[in-house]
């Protein structure tokens, strides 16, 4: 019976990684749709978000079943509670990627951004994609020492987000009010994706250590997928 329980925990961890990978793919595609006014790619991102939602619901139902039937304690309980909270963050990241694609669809065939801001948003997308790569690595390896890079990337993203408001307030800003709204929303979506990535990293730290301290304050190491050896 214990082997079945551990297999179920491992499956939960694998599903978290699967959802995180789909989110990364969604954001990469949203980048193309948003920056290049690619309506076909935008439609794909929007429709594919249902897959992320389905997987999140499935993972949550599986986790609740484990709580009800197995009554886990200690690290096993942390695993299940953490998975429920991480799945919500991942699903929200997928929604934010969808929102970026929806902006591209809304303004098609025109681009969302004025050309002067394209390079800035390319950098914001790239930071988020790097952050997602690190987040997936943390989910796979449970090596919290890697998570410090997530905090560095989030600091860079915060700066880029603040610079967007400075650009909008600059005397030479001459685009329309709808464009200013779109730019503000897009920057906020990208900044929030980073927030959720940090949240996932902190929850992995909680799984590994049992301590809700910020990831940057602890440097435990661990190996294997999130679900692996969860009972140790």
């Amino acid at each position: 019976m214990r082997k079945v329980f551990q297999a179920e925990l491992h499956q939960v961890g694998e599903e978290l990684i699967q959802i995180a990978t789909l989110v990364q793919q969604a954001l990469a595609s949203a980048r193309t749709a948003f920056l290049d006014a690619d309506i076909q790619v935008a439609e794909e991102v929007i429709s594919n978000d249902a897959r992320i939602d389905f997987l999140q619901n499935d993972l949550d139902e599986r986790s609740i079943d484990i709580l009800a039937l197995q009554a886990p304690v200690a690290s096993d309980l942390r695993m299940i509670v953490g998975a429920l909270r991480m799945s919500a963050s991942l699903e929200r990241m997928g929604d934010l990627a969808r929102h970026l694609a929806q902006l591209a669809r809304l303004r098609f065939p025109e681009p969302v951004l004025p050309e002067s801001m394209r390079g800035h948003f390319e950098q914001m997308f790239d930071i988020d994609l790097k952050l997602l790569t690190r987040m997936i690595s943390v989910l796979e390896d449970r090596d919290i020492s890697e998570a410090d890079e997530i905090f560095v990337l989030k600091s860079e993203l915060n700066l880029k987000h603040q610079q967007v408001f400075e650009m909008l307030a600059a005397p030479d800003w001459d685009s329309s009010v709808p464009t200013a709204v779109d730019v503000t929303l897009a920057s906020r979506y990208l900044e929030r994706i980073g927030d959720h990535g940090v949240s996932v990293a902190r929850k992995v730290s909680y799984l590994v250590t049992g301590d809700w301290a910020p990831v940057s304050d602890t440097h435990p190491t661990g190996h294997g997928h999130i679900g692996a050896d969860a009972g140790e």
Side-chain angles (χ1 to χ4, degrees), residues 77-203:
L77 182 60
R78 291 202 305 270
M79 168 61 201
I80 300 302
V81 173
L84 285 167
R85 298 180 70 179
M86 282 188 281
S87 73
S89 288
L90 293 173
E91 188 273 336
R92 187 59 185 149
M93 293 168 89
D95 285 346
L96 292 164
R98 187 190 75 228
H99 292 340
L100 289 160
Q102 287 171 327
L103 278 177
R105 184 174 67 178
L106 177 67
R107 299 305 175 195
F108 181 81
E110 298 299 321
V112 178
L113 300 172
E115 184 61 29
S116 62
M117 301 191 82
R118 179 186 173 95
H120 191 84
F121 273 82
E122 286 177 345
Q123 293 172 13
M124 292 187 75
F125 272 102
D126 290 346
I127 291 169
D128 263 339
L129 287 167
K130 289 177 183 177
L131 189 150
L132 275 164
T133 296
R134 293 301 179 191
M135 184 193 73
I136 292 170
S137 179
V138 168
L139 283 169
E140 290 174 334
D141 300 334
R142 298 174 67 190
D143 183 354
I144 307 303
S145 64
E146 290 188 53
D148 281 342
E149 290 193 45
I150 292 176
F151 281 85
V152 172
L153 289 167
K154 185 56 174 66
S155 294
E156 294 176 12
L157 193 62
N158 289 346
L159 178 60
K160 293 292 183 184
H161 181 53
Q162 179 61 39
Q163 288 171 346
V164 167
F165 293 98
E166 295 170 2
M167 295 164 77
L168 290 172
D172 60 350
W173 173 260
D174 58 359
S175 294
S176 67
V177 171
T179 297
V181 173
D182 290 346
V183 166
T184 303
L185 286 173
S187 182
R188 178 58 171 163
Y189 296 153
L190 290 166
E191 189 267 340
R192 285 297 292 154
I193 287 171
D195 281 344
H196 285 293
V198 168
S199 179
V200 169
R202 291 192 64 207
K203 290 176 178 67

Side-chain angles (χ1 to χ4, degrees), residues 144-148 205-206 209 211-221:
I144 307 303
S145 64
E146 290 188 53
D148 281 342
S205 176
Y206 173 66
T209 67
D211 182 10
W212 197 246
V215 175
S216 57
D217 293 341
T218 58
H219 297 278
T221 58

